[in-house]
Every structure is written in C-alpha cells, then in structure tokens.
Amino acid sequence: MPRDFHRPTQFPSAAFEAFQGGDDPATVNRIAHESAAALVARVKHDPQPEILDRLVSFSDEHGIDVVAELWARAAPHTLPGALWRIYLVRAVIRQAPEEVTYLFDRGVETSTTIDPIVAGAPTPATPAEVLALADLILRGVFDGDFAVALERGAAFCRLAAAGATTVADEQDTIGSDLASTLTRRALRLSELGVDLTACAALWRDGSLD
C-alpha cells in the first residue's frame, strides 16, 4: 500500500512487502491473518473519517487484485476470508451496478424473508442507491458492528442470487444461453452469502480469527 495510506493508520507496510514475494502457504496464511487483525483493530481504535474513506475506496484506486493477493487465499470462515468477501461483494456491485440492481430488485420481489430489511437498500432500488449501500456495508466493517455489516452483505447476496435464479428460469424457457450464466452467478452469490453469514456468527462468538 502507498505510504500515505499506511502512515495515518499505522498499519505495518512490512506485512504487504513480505507478502509480495511469498508463495509459501504458511507464510501467506500468517500474513493474511496478521494483516486483517491489525487493520480491523487499529481502525476500530481510531476510526478517522479520512482513513475510513480510503479503506472503502482502496480497491477503486489500486484494483481488487491487490486485496485478493492479500486475503483471497485465506480460508472462507476466517477474518481475512470475511474481509476479502465483503470487498468482493462491493467490487461485483461496482462492476455492473445496473445489472446487479436489477437482480437485487427481482430477488426482493420474490423474497419471503427479512433479507430486504437486513440488507437495508430501498426497494425498488436505483443503481446509485445500491452503490451507496455497497460503500455503507464495507464502511460498517471498520466503523460499526462487524457482524451486522457481514449480515447485510450476506442478505444482499442472497437477494441478488434469488433474482439471478428467477431471471435464469425465465431465460431458460426461451432457450437463452444467458440462463446458464445467470445460474452460475446465482451460485457464486449464494456461496458468498453463506460464507458471510458463517463469519458473522463466528465474530459474535469471538472465534473469527
């Protein structure tokens, strides 16, 4: 990370430097866990607004691949695994806000759960509102109740997955190749929702590390 990022958060740049050249699984895993724990602890201890803004927009400036290098190889139900997935949810939304919003709205239409309330987006939502929600959820990881932020992300994923499944079924009836693409997307979103929910429960138990 650039110097003007890690200086105000006092986040050790050595963690990132050590990660760059290390392919040893044990080293990668150790750095992922140590960096995630240090980042969350330090920001929660001193949640300066400008630092929170930088954390939310970090992947916009440096690319989601930088976050992936640090945390994507961690086990799903761990602190670095949770951070990677919540950054990934935001990236998915930002890459195609109109499409994701459409799927989310379709999921809300068919929902019989409290997921629309948990997610916290207006219904129907606009792409701008969903983009704002993505930022709010990620910000809540660092400046709010960590478990609640993960649960909001999980609820959003479940609703978007339900919407993707609904649209896939409609496309399948007309023989569209889009059906299989949407089905795969629904599966990935569902898996994200499952993992984020599990991480939220572990955080509440004090066992997410």
Side-chain angles (χ1 to χ4, degrees):
M1 287 187 177
R3 293 185 181 278
D4 64 348
F5 180 86
H6 75 248
R7 184 170 57 245
T9 61
Q10 299 180 353
F11 187 65
S13 61
F16 292 95
E17 292 166 359
F19 187 86
Q20 294 299 319
D23 289 329
D24 176 67
T27 300
V28 169
N29 187 63
R30 176 179 59 80
I31 292 170
H33 283 261
E34 289 179 355
S35 60
L39 182 61
V40 171
R42 289 178 185 275
V43 176
K44 283 190 175 295
H45 176 71
D46 186 20
Q48 300 178 42
E50 63 272 19
I51 302 306
L52 292 167
D53 291 342
R54 289 181 182 181
L55 284 170
V56 170
S57 64
F58 179 80
S59 61
D60 300 337
E61 296 180 37
H62 304 285
I64 191 66
D65 288 347
V66 175
V67 182
E69 279 191 3
L70 188 59
W71 294 325
R73 283 180 277 181
H77 302 165
T78 62
L79 182 57
L83 290 176
W84 160 241
R85 281 159 179 76
I86 210 72
Y87 268 98
L88 183 58
V89 169
R90 182 179 179 275
V92 167
I93 292 171
R94 291 190 66 81
Q95 286 169 2
E98 293 83 4
E99 179 182 348
V100 175
T101 299
Y102 176 70
L103 297 178
F104 172 77
D105 283 339
R106 292 299 303 270
V108 170
E109 290 173 5
T110 60
S111 176
T112 58
T113 71
I114 63 169
D115 278 344
I117 297 173
V118 174
T123 53
T126 66
E129 288 168 336
V130 169
L131 285 167
L133 176 66
D135 287 353
L136 190 62
I137 290 173
L138 178 55
R139 193 180 186 94
V141 165
F142 300 106
D143 185 29
D145 187 310
F146 190 91
V148 169
L150 298 186
E151 287 167 346
R152 293 184 72 184
F156 185 92
C157 288
R158 286 192 294 267
L159 290 167
T165 299
T166 299
V167 179
D169 290 343
E170 294 171 353
Q171 293 296 313
D172 193 45
T173 61
I174 61 174
S176 171
D177 293 338
L178 185 59
S180 59
T181 299
L182 286 167
T183 299
R184 288 193 298 270
R185 177 166 296 183
L187 177 60
R188 289 195 294 268
L189 287 165
S190 294
E191 290 172 343
L192 278 172
V194 168
D195 287 337
L196 288 172
T197 298
C199 288
L202 290 169
W203 178 267
R204 292 189 191 282
D205 291 342
S207 55
L208 185 69
D209 56 22

